[in-house]
Amino acid sequence: MTADFIVREWNAWAPGVSCHEDWRNWHDHQAFAQAEKAAIPITVPKILQRRLSPLARAVFNAAEGCIDSDKSLPIVFSSAHGEVNKSLEMLKSMQKGEEVSPTAFSLSVHNAISGLFSIAYGYHQEITVVAPGQDGIAPAFIEALGLLQEHRSEVLIVLYDEPLADFYPSLPFALNAPAICALALKVSLTGSGLPLRFCRTPAHRDDGEQALQILSFIKFLVADDKALVLGNHRHSWEWHKK
Amino acid sequence: MENELKQLIIDTLDLEDISVADIDSQAPLFNDGLGLDSIDALELGLAIRKKYNVKIDAEKEDVVKIFSSVSTLAEYIQAARG
């Protein structure tokens, strides 16, 4: 499989790193300003603001910069872990014999953030939420490219993940994000922007899960590198700047 | 009772910017009034069960009426506790 597409716009948020300039100056192993929370966009109705987790706020910040005013883009969200830390909290409270909060449950499901997004922005387009498991960011691109092939002119991809609670033994798997991070990419088949070629590669790679791959992809966007190969033991994929 | 219930609503539903004085006992809690939604109703039902040991059964009761305002909710709880 080989597919050409164009990154029309992108926007990413991590604690202390939020504009293109910040990302150009950001380098590997640089500590994130962990305590910093993404601001709540003013578009979000007051009554919904209380439901926004730090991860949701990061997603909203990244995505808001890429949605058009007529809200016509389908969106493909992708997260390996979603709000699993919320599920853990619920399990802990059940263990203590407490009843589960309906609000906590509703905000813990994998499509919780996309649901909040849709309500907050009055967004009625097709929304997909991918749980890519160990396969990293590639499944979200495959989904988005499929939508473009079905004649949608542009698609928004939103990749996000946050660090897992210490409870989960992450080693020896490379699956834990160093910080909350969200990346929104508006992609299309035509128009101006960054043209990329996406294809399978037989390379055997060990680049970790999506939480780590998001940062590699952002670095690729701002760097001069011509190609990026990402894989996590199973399939590997290459993004090539044309 | 009504003020106690207002405080319970604020604490349970994380209504940080709202105070007891801001909630009108007669005003609708859902949609137009405070703007609460169905998840809030479930959360509030749970909090009321914990605090007052009163269970509001959606199958048997007219929940729309019970949850329509602080005043109707307080009446229901008082009647249920006997």
Side-chain angles (χ1 to χ4, degrees), chain B residues 9-63:
Chain B
I9 292 171
I10 291 166
D11 296 341
T12 307
L13 307 180
D14 296 323
L15 303 173
E16 285 168 11
D17 304 329
I18 291 175
S19 68
V20 167
D22 295 332
I23 305 177
D24 178 348
S25 296
Q26 313 300 328
L29 284 172
F30 295 88
N31 303 321
D32 296 343
L34 266 186
L36 305 180
D37 59 23
S38 57
I39 297 286
D40 291 319
L42 290 171
E43 196 70 41
L44 207 49
L46 179 66
I48 287 167
R49 181 143 47 100
K50 273 193 204 164
K51 192 173 165 97
Y52 301 107
N53 202 24
V54 168
K55 190 172 186 297
I56 303 168
D57 189 341
E59 302 285 315
K60 294 184 196 143
E61 315 284 352
D62 184 356
V63 283

Side-chain angles (χ1 to χ4, degrees), chain B residues 5 9 24-30 64-74:
Chain B
L5 206 47
I9 292 171
D24 178 348
S25 296
Q26 313 300 328
L29 284 172
F30 295 88
V64 175
K65 202 168 149 228
I66 296 168
F67 278 101
S68 65
S69 69
V70 169
S71 159
T72 56
L73 198 52

